[in-house]
Each structure stands twice: as C-alpha cells, then as structure tokens.
Amino acid sequence: MRTAPTILHLDMDAFFASVEQASKPSLRGKAVVVGGLGPRGVVATCSYEARVFGVHSAMPMGQARRLAPHAAYLVPRFELYRSISEQVMRLLRELSPLVEPLSLDEAFVDLDAGGAARDAESARVAGAKLRTDIRTVTGLTGSVGLAASKMLAKIASEAAKPDGLVLIPPGTERAMLEPMTVRTLPGVGPATGDHLRRAGITTVGEIAEAGEDELVRLLGKAHGHALYAMALARDERPVVAERETKSVSVEDTYDVDIHDRVRVGVEVGRLADRCVRRLRASGLSGRTIVLKVRRYDFSTLTRSETLRGPTDDPAVVREAAARLLDAVDTTGGVRLLGVGVSGLADYTQEDLFAQAAGDRAEEPAEEPGTEPAEEHTPTPAERRWPSGHDVRHTELGHGWVQGSGLGRVTVRFETPYSEVGRVRTFPVDDPELTPADPLPLVAGTEGGEGGESGQPSSLPLPASLPKSWSGGGGAAETSRP
C-alpha cells in the first residue's frame, strides 16, 4: 500500500436529485425523489431533505410516497445527468490520466500518476481545488475522500458527505477502521453482516481479532481471505483508467403487465432503437443481440443470437430482437422487457441485412396491376408529459412539468437562473406547449442562458454533517448517496 494519501475518491452528493434542485429554483431546499413513478417504480436517488423522512435509494416508490407524501416526485432525465457527468469526468482527467469511473457520479483518481499530489498536504490541496472547480462548472457539490488505497478513499468520501473532504493520514488506518461496523467494508452486505453478527463479530476490529482461519471457516476461502485483508487496511488494487464495456442494454418495467402480443413486439422494437442509439453514442458495435423478458410470475427469460459480424444498424438489431421474441411465450403477460448488445467492437461489419434476416431468399416482386392495401392511419397517441421534464411555451418560455393527468398538464415556468416561477395548467394537446432540451445548470456554459444579470443564482449548500470518525463512525448507509 502507498505511503501517501494520493488516491482520491469523488462521489457527487445525491447526484440526480441535486441536478433537479439546481435546475428548478422552487425545489431548492425541498424533499426531492427521482425514479420510476409507476406502481412498480423504485427510487433512483433522493435529496438529503427527503432522507430525513426515511426515503432511500432502491426503495419502492409507493413506500417513499407514504413516508414523504409532500416531496416532489420526478422522472429521471438521464441525458442531462450524463452531460453533467462528462463535465465532472473532464475535471478529473485534468488531474490525472488514471481516472476509474464507477458510475455517472463516482470515480477514483490516482493523483500521483498525474503529478497532482505527492504527499498529504498536496493531496488535500488537489482535493479542495477539485471541489471548487466542480461547483464552478456544474453548480453542484461533491464529496472527496483521500487515502493510500481505493477502499479507504471510498470510506473517507462516505464520511465526508455531504459536500466535504476527508483525508486519512497514512499510519492511522487500522485505528480508524477498528470501531466501524462490518458493513463499512466492501462486499459485506446484509446477508454477510448477519452471518458475522451471529458469530459475535460486529466491528472491523473484531474481524481482525477473529483471525483469517475463522473467517475462512465462516465465509469460505475467497471471501474470508479478502475480508481479513480489508480489516487490516490492506488494499493493493490499482486505479484502472479504462474499464472495458462488455455490453450495452436498455430495459423498461411496465406499470401494468402487457398482454397484447403486438404491443410487446412494438416495445421490443422501440427498445432495440434505444439500445442502438446508446451503442452509437459510445462509438461501438456488437455481434450478439440479447432479449430479456420478465413475465407476470417474475420468471425471467433471456435469449440471444450472434451475428457473423458486429453491427450498429437499428434495422439489424430490431429484426434479430423480433426473431428472439418469436421463441418466447408471453402468455399471461409481460412486466419487463430489455434489449442488449454484447460482443462489442469499435468497428461495424457492413452488409448485415442478409444475415439479420437469416439469409432468407429475396421476396418476390409485387405483381403488376396489384392495388396496394389501404394504409391504416393510427389515431395519434396523447402526448406524454413526464414529471420534471423540460417544456417550452411560445409565450411563457422555459418551464418544467409538475404533473399531468385527466387531459391536463401543469407547468412551472422557471430556469436554473431565475427566481421561483409561476404555475400554469394547459390541455395536454396545447399546440403552444412543446418538449424542450434541459438548460445548463450554470449560465454561460454550453450555450446556457442566465437571469437578468447573466449570472447563475447561488445554490444553497446542503446542511453539513460531522466530518469526524467519532461516535458511530462508519455505519455505511446502504443507499447511494
């Protein structure tokens, strides 16, 4: 392990919810919950104000609504979150070429590899500057942990939340870890934690006292060895700059089971198109098309087909997914569908239409004089207005959807740089109201617009939490901060 705390772990604070609060002045300082809003939806993340009521990530949305009925419940805007994540990751890469992203809002950085830090003091300076730069560029806050290993840096960033910085000085690791609960260590979930508790082991110090042989007896060879090493603060894992993407996929869970086979096919085609858009955005193609179907009884089926070469053609992926669906029994209803592409490559094999169609013979040409069948024009579907998403009105300007239903949509007209805006209600098919792209959170960035002064309004910081290791020290929350 290193002799200096030059591994940095950044974790953005309540990322999705913080983005929503920063973009909506009326929600700042309020309880905000982001996730699927249907009966089967779950919480993706929530603001610190919502956590006061017991709401946390991965909680069923129905339970969250019971705990915090007055919170704002919003549908995620993943494209906006990705764009802000890219801004943050660029700042990290200015510090070092060794950046290991773990998710949109979390990454490790090897400060020593980029010459950004050599000792504790320079590491602290680099971490403080990073937090300032993130606030300047995105308007958001992030928590930073600095330590001599990845495990300890992550533990430090947890202790720093929200909007703080914690550095673990080399030589103090064992003393810091000993009073912490076993759940603090990576890989110790509820089941392992209960197993250790039944054996009388509740703290990291008690794991070290139990000894390696006892841990192997309790947990098995691999897990026992790894847990003992972590309890002794041993972690030699390097920061890895690029993590190979193994697959690209999308899936949807439906509020009501889909029984109509035609509708299932339409949904699979739509998911295939979304999957290809994500594939192309990453500059990738793939050979293996995967279909995932979760049926009404929660049984999950996965089917796959491997093409002769990689493709990023939506028609090819749609046809392959449709063939896979033909082999799946959807009688009784479908609650989840997913389409993925694996066997990824950074090039595309041309001319895959024949192989996607199973090298089928050419279809005969239409006979002369045959009248084409009359096309059926479907009735336009009612426009959907997801809660929290951006809209624009020809007269009132930019706003966001507070809610919709019964043929009406309620919009609050405000921007990240304005005061709290007014609320208006319209028919869902009002021609003057259209979906809009999100605005940048900070005025003047990427074409953003500001208030009257051209400057972004200041965003309130979340209430601070203690930045010490005392007390319950380290009882990690199971939800994503």
Side-chain angles (χ1 to χ4, degrees):
M1 202 164 73
R2 304 181 182 209
T3 58
T6 54
I7 292 182
L8 178 150
H9 181 259
L10 170 72
D11 201 348
M12 300 296 290
D13 298 322
F15 183 50
F16 296 174
S18 293
V19 170
E20 299 300 342
Q21 288 178 316
S23 66
K24 300 172 172 64
S26 58
L27 297 185
R28 293 171 191 167
K30 306 288 180 62
V32 174
V33 181
V34 180
L37 302 190
R40 294 172 178 165
V42 297
V43 176
T45 194
C46 58
S47 68
Y48 288 95
E49 295 85 356
R51 297 178 194 196
V52 172
F53 299 99
V55 181
H56 60 74
S57 299
M59 172 182 284
M61 192 61 75
Q63 183 180 355
R65 288 184 183 276
R66 289 191 293 273
L67 291 172
H70 303 298
Y73 289 86
L74 308 177
V75 175
R77 297 185 291 167
F78 288 112
E79 291 304 317
L80 176 60
Y81 307 152
R82 288 190 190 97
S83 68
I84 296 169
S85 173
E86 288 169 2
Q87 293 178 309
V88 173
M89 295 303 165
R90 280 198 293 270
L91 292 174
L92 297 183
R93 292 185 180 98
E94 290 175 5
L95 287 174
S96 172
L98 291 184
V99 176
E100 183 178 341
L102 303 179
S103 63
L104 290 177
D105 62 337
E106 184 181 4
F108 287 111
V109 183
D110 187 333
L111 297 176
D112 185 54
R118 301 291 183 187
D119 54 23
E121 185 55 36
S122 59
R124 187 183 296 276
V125 170
K129 182 178 183 302
L130 173 65
R131 292 177 57 236
T132 299
D133 290 345
I134 289 173
R135 181 63 178 267
T136 300
V137 171
T138 70
L140 304 176
T141 64
S143 297
V144 168
L146 293 158
S149 72
K150 291 167 73 171
M151 178 189 76
L152 293 168
K154 184 171 175 61
I155 290 173
S157 70
E158 289 283 346
K161 282 190 166 294
D163 189 29
L165 183 152
V166 167
L167 182 147
I168 301 176
T172 67
E173 296 93 348
R174 289 283 303 277
M176 177 271 298
L177 282 174
E178 284 181 355
M180 293 184 172
T181 68
V182 295
R183 291 289 302 278
T184 303
L185 299 180
V188 181
T192 302
D194 287 344
H195 195 50
L196 291 171
R197 179 181 52 78
R198 287 194 295 270
I201 300 172
T202 58
T203 67
V204 176
E206 289 169 346
I207 290 177
E209 291 174 6
E212 192 167 15
D213 291 342
E214 177 65 8
L215 290 172
V216 168
R217 186 186 70 81
L218 288 171
L219 305 174
K221 188 174 182 180
H223 202 179
H225 286 313
L227 200 58
Y228 183 69
M230 288 190 290
L232 298 180
R234 297 174 187 163
D235 180 15
E236 302 295 340
R237 293 173 300 158
V239 176
V240 180
E242 295 295 334
R243 308 179 105 201
E244 182 183 359
T245 302
K246 298 184 183 301
S247 65
V248 173
S249 64
V250 296
E251 63 181 41
D252 277 343
T253 300
Y254 303 99
D255 296 340
V256 179
D257 291 346
I258 302 176
H259 294 82
D260 183 355
R261 182 76 179 188
V262 174
R263 165 85 188 284
V264 173
V266 170
E267 291 295 322
V268 167
R270 184 178 59 81
L271 289 166
D273 289 342
R274 279 174 52 196
C275 183
V276 169
R277 286 198 296 271
R278 187 170 295 182
L279 196 68
R280 287 180 168 179
S282 302
L284 297 170
S285 59
R287 295 185 64 221
T288 301
I289 315 303
V290 181
L291 175 71
K292 178 180 177 182
V293 178
R294 181 165 297 150
R295 298 187 292 191
Y296 70 99
D297 59 357
F298 287 89
S299 61
T300 302
L301 304 176
T302 303
R303 300 289 183 267
S304 64
E305 175 181 321
T306 299
L307 308 175
R308 287 187 223 155
T311 184
D312 66 352
D313 190 298
V316 173
V317 177
R318 276 198 306 270
E319 287 192 32
R323 285 198 303 279
L324 293 170
L325 179 61
D326 286 341
V328 175
D329 180 12
T330 59
T331 304
V334 170
R335 60 185 293 118
L336 177 147
L337 291 168
V339 174
V341 178
S342 60
L344 301 181
D346 56 3
Y347 67 95
T348 301
Q349 178 72 48
E350 301 296 338
D351 242 352
L352 285 177
F353 287 102
Q355 77 168 34
D359 291 329
R360 63 178 181 264
E362 290 186 4
E363 296 181 3
E366 186 178 351
E367 293 184 10
T370 303
E371 291 294 328
E374 182 179 349
E375 293 187 2
H376 172 68
T377 304
T379 304
E382 183 179 281
R383 285 195 290 177
R384 295 183 62 215
W385 301 101
S387 297
H389 283 224
D390 300 82
V391 295
R392 179 167 290 278
H393 190 273
T394 53
E395 292 185 8
L396 301 174
H398 194 94
W400 60 276
V401 176
Q402 282 203 163
S404 63
L406 302 177
R408 314 289 288 178
V409 55
T410 300
V411 177
R412 185 180 289 275
F413 290 95
E414 60 186 8
T415 74
Y417 339 108
S418 72
E419 300 297 325
V420 173
R422 55 180 174 171
V423 176
R424 294 282 301 275
T425 299
F426 307 89
V428 293
D429 56 356
D430 191 318
E432 296 190 23
L433 191 68
T434 57
D437 292 330
L439 298 175
L441 301 186
V442 175
T445 61
E446 299 183 6
E449 58 186 76
E452 293 181 3
S453 66
Q455 297 297 321
S457 58
S458 61
L459 305 179
L461 288 172
S464 296
L465 292 181
K467 303 298 188 293
S468 69
W469 297 104
S470 59
E477 190 177 353
T478 57
S479 61
R480 283 285 308 117

